[in-house]
Amino acid sequence: MSSPPEDDGKDALIRGRSRSEASGSRSPVPLDNSVSASPPLVDSSDAMPVNGASQAPPNKDAILPLDLMVPLKRAEPSIVKTRAGSVLSRGFILKTDHYPSGESLTRPLISLTNIPRGPPGRALDLDLNVHGAPNFRASRQGNLNVFGVAQPRTQGLRAILSALRCRPGTRDASHVVWFSTREEPIVYISGRPFVLRDAAEPRRTLSLSDRAENLEAIEDRLKHDILQEASKYGGLILTHNELAADSGEGAILPTWTHVDNVNVRTSRELWENMRLDGWNVEYHRIPISPDRPIEDNYLDAYLRVIKNADPIRSALVFSCGMGAVRTTFAMVAALIVRRRMLLVRGLDDPYATRSSFVFPPGTPRQGSATPGINTPATDMKLTQALENASAQQDSNKSLLRLTYVLQQHLHSQSAIALLISQPVLLENLRRAHQGNYGVILSLLGCLDHGLQAKKLVDRVIDAFHRVRYSLTTPDDDGAKREDMLIKAGRSLEKYFFMIAFASYVDSVPDFSQTFSDWLKARTEIWNQVMFLRKLWGSRLNAFAPIHDLSILSRSGAEAKALVAGQKNDVEISGGQLLGDEYSDHVVKNRGGIILRESTLLKSDQWLSESQRVSQSVRGVINFRNVPGTNIYACGQPTESAIDEVVQLVRNHHPDATKVVWVTLREEPIVYVNGAPYCLRRERFSLRNMKGRMVVFYLNCALTLFIADYGGISAARLEILEGRLKDDILAELNAFEGRYAFLVP
């Protein structure tokens, strides 16, 4: 029996309807005489009521119905409850894998980029709309042949591959590498994808395995179950079709679909048939569930394939259910890798900054009296001018976007009036919009060339017109708030990991070391990941500087109200101490790698922790000797105290030829004018502490900051201290040799 060829997914769908008869009796016919082992839908020897009316047994003169509509309708309510397959079992359905009412990429968060959309989850600003391939797109910068798409139908798949020039018979055809990140079983019926779902939660993904071979084995059994069930119903199987809706979730309609051995295919079978038909395509299944940890090797799985694909002659296509979150993340990673591969070949940087286009040294210039003469001073000025102009343009766009987003969600007040009256809020929102979250800045301090890595990731992401988020919700539903907070944390975590991945790609050009191994060697980065994932305390702290946006929900009178104990008399009277204002400006505008905005350089002398000792040394607390040994201990010393301690040890042990000093500090320490200083976050600095409360806040401050560097190796810690020293010297030069320290 031949079957019709695969089409664009418009199946021969037969929807069951109740059928009434005015008079007479009807008797069903066998559904499939070739399947004797399967029980028929009804017993033809029994009388069958139709629409509640009893019928007499059929006689030889009765006209028998030729269709199966009545028995199909009768069987429909019980099919899902009585399924007995190994995969398509009781309580499970086959739902169309098409998302007319799917969740939008920007639904849980407010996107600070405006993407015109039609039905939720579908973008309307695509450069090319392909039938059967929702959200098919490429990066708008770089031409690195990296593409993304939602789960396509077979016609959409052929259209994409044709657009990428890999169809059979194409002269000098390109090579396409296709990545599927779906973590649930998928089967194609007449060219349309279907997924397995729980009938009680038909829109919730069933994550059955994170191993491709397991999923493909499940898909093989699912195909067998489909064919077995269809043999009982005349070659038909009950599927469920999700309908489009203007708002909210669309209805899910039970629908009968024709199947046979030819038009039912697993994902692997579909791609193998495409390759055998002459399409120059290579298929990889890398299952990724939305809650799968990023460090769980799937970036390495991408990398193993991408590094072996020619960046000039091959195209990379990534797909997931909606072609949104997982697809975009994979595309950004692929673009970063391909950029590095082009640079290794000596080609131009596709994501070069504007300053990179300044004439290189030695390039002749029109009007120059002596062509070819280097003008480094002029080049530096031009580069700085372009960088300043680019930064100002980014800032202007950020302010406009912030104003637009706030106005869309503030119904009781003007966004412009709010931002004018709250300059601190405006600055915090701008910093967050530009990706300068506190945990991100901490990461940059731990990376080699971290600032450059972040700028690269920002340029790649901005080419998609699909990022950055700020967290807000008008809902009073606690469950919704929790869900949004979790999704926001995952988005920030993806951004964090992508910056780390960009640093890895630039530091390991031959990819001889995996990204997972590279991360494991950097304990200080893992500590910050744990800070992002913490379950204790206020998780909003991870979103600093926008961890507190409560002012957005206050009325005008509430916003102006003072909180007792949080403002001093000068501020209450309408002003601010001049010294405080100047120091705030310095701290918030720091641009170093380690000494960055909202960080302080604090005197590292804990005099309040000093204990009475037998032989005290000026400049170091708690200097003591372990009785009966040549072992000594002390607090962090000043430079002069180090010399005095060493001299005392030598006096006590004149025969010793060497003094070994072991420091146990896990944070960067620098000496300025002979005194030690350490780094602290502005919000957790020591202030106004007396008596016994000092110990508690002291330990709190140490824990909150040392957590950034806990477990760091000595070599990397010394690198960070070198960067901190460079930041201090740069700030000294900027302020003509003057510097501000925090002294508790």
Side-chain angles (χ1 to χ4, degrees):
M1 177 181 177
S2 62
S3 61
E6 292 183 352
D7 55 16
D8 63 349
K10 294 182 178 179
D11 309 328
L13 302 178
I14 304 176
R15 297 172 182 164
R17 298 189 181 95
S18 62
R19 184 176 179 128
S20 61
E21 299 180 2
S23 63
S25 62
R26 304 192 58 178
S27 176
V29 297
L31 294 178
D32 192 343
N33 294 328
S34 64
V35 184
S36 59
S38 302
L41 289 176
V42 296
D43 188 349
S44 60
S45 64
D46 298 332
M48 180 181 67
V50 178
N51 295 333
S54 62
Q55 293 184 340
N59 57 60
K60 61 181 181 180
D61 297 327
I63 300 177
L64 299 178
L66 300 179
D67 62 89
L68 306 178
M69 296 179 67
V70 171
L72 289 176
K73 178 63 178 177
R74 179 178 299 153
E76 185 175 296
S78 62
I79 287 179
V80 174
K81 300 176 183 178
T82 59
R83 279 175 167 159
S86 61
V87 176
L88 188 61
S89 57
R90 178 180 180 180
F92 288 95
I93 63 173
L94 280 176
K95 191 183 79 70
T96 50
D97 191 36
H98 190 54
Y99 289 85
S101 60
E103 184 180 81
S104 168
L105 170 64
T106 59
R107 181 178 176 184
L109 304 173
I110 292 181
S111 172
L112 297 184
T113 52
N114 184 25
I115 307 175
R117 293 184 179 275
R122 284 175 165 263
L124 298 181
D125 62 341
L126 300 175
D127 296 326
L128 185 70
N129 290 294
V130 178
H131 179 66
N135 292 345
F136 176 63
R137 66 197 186 281
S139 173
R140 300 187 178 183
Q141 180 181 350
N143 297 324
L144 293 178
N145 298 316
V146 176
F147 304 87
V149 67
Q151 187 74 37
R153 301 187 184 188
T154 53
Q155 187 181 33
L157 173 58
R158 292 189 177 96
I160 290 174
L161 298 181
S162 297
L164 299 181
R165 298 185 59 255
C166 74
R167 63 182 300 177
T170 301
R171 185 177 180 180
D172 193 22
S174 63
H175 181 66
V176 173
V177 182
W178 192 288
F179 297 83
S180 174
T181 65
R182 299 300 296 275
E183 80 284 17
E184 58 182 331
I186 301 173
V187 291
Y188 278 80
I189 301 177
S190 296
R192 186 171 188 177
F194 286 78
V195 292
L196 185 70
R197 294 292 168 87
D198 189 333
E201 297 178 305
R203 294 182 177 85
R204 183 175 181 179
T205 301
L206 286 176
S207 300
L208 300 183
S209 177
D210 59 357
R211 297 176 61 87
E213 54 269 28
N214 291 349
L215 282 176
E216 291 176 356
I218 293 172
E219 289 173 352
D220 288 334
R221 300 204 306 271
L222 177 58
K223 174 184 176 180
H224 179 266
D225 292 344
I226 292 172
L227 295 176
Q228 284 292 103
E229 184 173 307
S231 67
K232 304 176 184 179
Y233 302 103
L236 301 174
I237 190 167
L238 183 67
T239 62
H240 287 73
N241 185 28
E242 184 176 359
L243 303 180
D246 294 335
S247 61
E249 296 178 337
I252 296 181
L253 181 69
T255 307
W256 289 94
T257 306
H258 169 261
V259 297
D260 56 36
N261 286 318
V262 177
N263 76 339
V264 181
R265 293 180 179 177
T266 66
S267 299
R268 176 63 64 179
E269 289 175 342
L270 174 66
W271 286 99
E272 285 298 319
N273 288 335
M274 295 285 291
R275 187 180 60 82
L276 293 175
D277 289 342
W279 296 85
N280 190 11
V281 64
E282 175 184 341
Y283 173 71
H284 295 273
R285 183 80 172 264
I286 304 176
I288 303 170
S289 61
D291 57 351
R292 182 176 177 181
I294 297 174
E295 70 273 10
D296 195 11
N297 293 334
Y298 67 77
L299 279 173
D300 287 324
Y302 290 148
L303 186 58
R304 281 193 295 270
V305 178
I306 296 172
K307 69 180 182 181
N308 295 321
D310 189 335
I312 299 176
R313 297 297 308 155
S314 65
L316 307 177
V317 183
F318 296 89
S319 71
C320 63
M322 289 179 55
V325 180
R326 286 170 289 177
T327 293
T328 301
F329 183 81
M331 291 175 69
V332 172
L335 289 167
I336 290 172
V337 174
R338 286 214 148 176
R339 168 189 173 271
R340 182 61 187 176
M341 295 172 70
L342 293 181
L343 294 180
V344 171
R345 293 190 178 196
L347 301 178
D348 293 336
D349 185 353
Y351 291 99
T353 59
R354 294 183 180 182
S355 58
S356 302
F357 297 102
V358 177
F359 291 107
T363 302
R365 292 167 172 76
Q366 291 183 344
S368 174
T370 308
I373 297 298
N374 292 342
T375 56
T378 303
D379 285 343
M380 185 176 297
K381 291 180 180 179
L382 288 174
T383 301
Q384 187 64 42
L386 284 175
E387 289 181 350
N388 292 340
S390 179
Q392 184 61 47
Q393 185 180 30
D394 291 342
S395 179
N396 292 340
K397 289 181 178 179
S398 176
L399 292 175
L400 290 174
R401 183 62 60 198
L402 285 170
T403 304
Y404 173 80
V405 171
L406 287 174
Q407 192 60 61
Q408 293 293 107
H409 296 272
L410 293 177
H411 306 293
S412 60
Q413 53 184 317
S414 167
I416 296 178
L418 173 66
L419 295 177
I420 290 176
S421 63
Q422 299 292 337
V424 175
L425 172 65
L426 171 61
E427 178 62 19
N428 289 341
L429 288 172
R430 186 192 62 80
R431 287 160 56 193
H433 178 239
Q434 294 180 338
N436 294 327
Y437 296 93
V439 67
I440 298 298
L441 296 178
S442 295
L443 171 65
L444 301 187
C446 299
L447 298 174
D448 298 328
H449 311 293
L451 188 58
Q452 289 83 346
K454 179 182 179 300
K455 288 182 178 179
L456 170 63
V457 171
D458 286 344
R459 289 196 296 271
V460 174
I461 289 177
D462 288 342
F464 289 99
H465 292 189
R466 280 179 189 267
V467 238
R468 240 160 259 112
Y469 307 111
S470 71
L471 184 65
T472 183
T473 171
D475 299 319
D476 294 328
D477 190 331
K480 288 184 178 180
R481 288 177 179 270
E482 182 67 15
D483 183 56
M484 289 184 176
L485 183 59
I486 291 174
K487 291 180 179 180
R490 288 176 181 170
S491 297
L492 183 58
E493 187 176 317
K494 287 183 174 68
Y495 186 48
F496 180 97
F497 269 97
M498 191 54 67
I499 294 173
F501 182 72
S503 179
Y504 156 79
V505 169
D506 278 344
S507 60
V508 189
D510 58 350
F511 308 124
S512 56
Q513 183 185 25
T514 65
F515 178 56
S516 297
D517 291 340
W518 182 86
L519 273 180
K520 291 176 182 177
R522 288 160 173 78
T523 310
E524 65 275 16
I525 296 179
W526 273 115
N527 289 332
Q528 295 176 56
V529 174
M530 294 302 102
F531 175 72
L532 276 173
R533 297 175 179 174
K534 70 174 183 175
L535 299 177
W536 47 268
S538 175
R539 283 178 291 164
L540 288 174
N541 287 335
F543 299 95
I546 57 168
H547 52 286
D548 183 6
L549 297 179
S550 58
I551 193 172
L552 295 178
S553 59
R554 298 176 191 168
S555 65
E558 291 174 332
K560 296 178 181 178
L562 299 177
V563 180
Q566 293 188 4
K567 296 192 176 184
N568 58 42
D569 295 338
V570 178
E571 292 175 316
I572 291 175
S573 63
Q576 185 179 18
L577 293 175
L578 182 59
D580 291 344
E581 185 177 1
Y582 184 74
S583 63
D584 287 346
H585 171 77
V586 172
V587 170
K588 293 186 181 300
N589 288 276
R590 280 178 164 155
I593 298 175
I594 302 295
L595 190 63
R596 54 191 177 272
E597 58 182 299
S598 299
T599 57
L600 307 171
L601 205 59
K602 190 192 74 67
S603 174
D604 194 40
Q605 291 285 286
W606 307 101
L607 301 179
S608 60
E609 292 297 292
S610 178
Q611 304 295 325
R612 185 180 299 275
V613 293
S614 59
Q615 189 172 8
S616 62
V617 176
R618 183 180 179 84
V620 60
I621 64 173
N622 300 334
F623 174 68
R624 61 202 183 277
N625 171 242
V626 179
T629 70
N630 58 355
I631 300 175
Y632 296 81
C634 66
Q636 187 70 36
T638 62
E639 189 173 341
S640 60
I642 293 175
D643 295 333
E644 189 172 348
V645 167
V646 171
Q647 187 60 45
L648 282 173
V649 172
R650 284 179 174 174
N651 292 339
H652 293 166
H653 304 277
D655 296 333
T657 59
K658 181 190 294 186
V659 175
V660 178
W661 192 302
V662 180
T663 181
L664 305 178
R665 299 298 293 275
E666 285 187 311
E667 58 179 327
I669 302 292
V670 293
Y671 280 81
V672 180
N673 294 329
Y677 288 85
C678 59
L679 209 58
R680 289 287 180 269
R681 290 196 184 101
E682 182 183 18
R683 292 181 61 243
F684 301 114
S685 60
L686 305 183
R687 55 189 181 272
N688 299 334
M689 297 179 296
K690 298 180 181 180
R692 296 176 59 87
M693 292 299 292
V694 173
V695 178
F696 173 78
Y697 283 107
L698 171 64
N699 293 334
C700 178
L702 281 171
T703 301
L704 287 167
F705 200 87
I706 292 178
D708 288 354
Y709 304 106
I712 189 173
S713 66
R716 291 198 57 79
L717 187 57
E718 290 174 356
I719 292 175
L720 297 183
E721 289 178 340
R723 294 174 184 168
L724 178 57
K725 175 184 175 181
D726 293 339
D727 291 344
I728 294 172
L729 293 176
E731 197 165 302
L732 281 171
N733 291 332
F735 291 100
E736 299 180 353
R738 291 170 293 180
Y739 203 84
F741 300 99
L742 176 65
V743 181

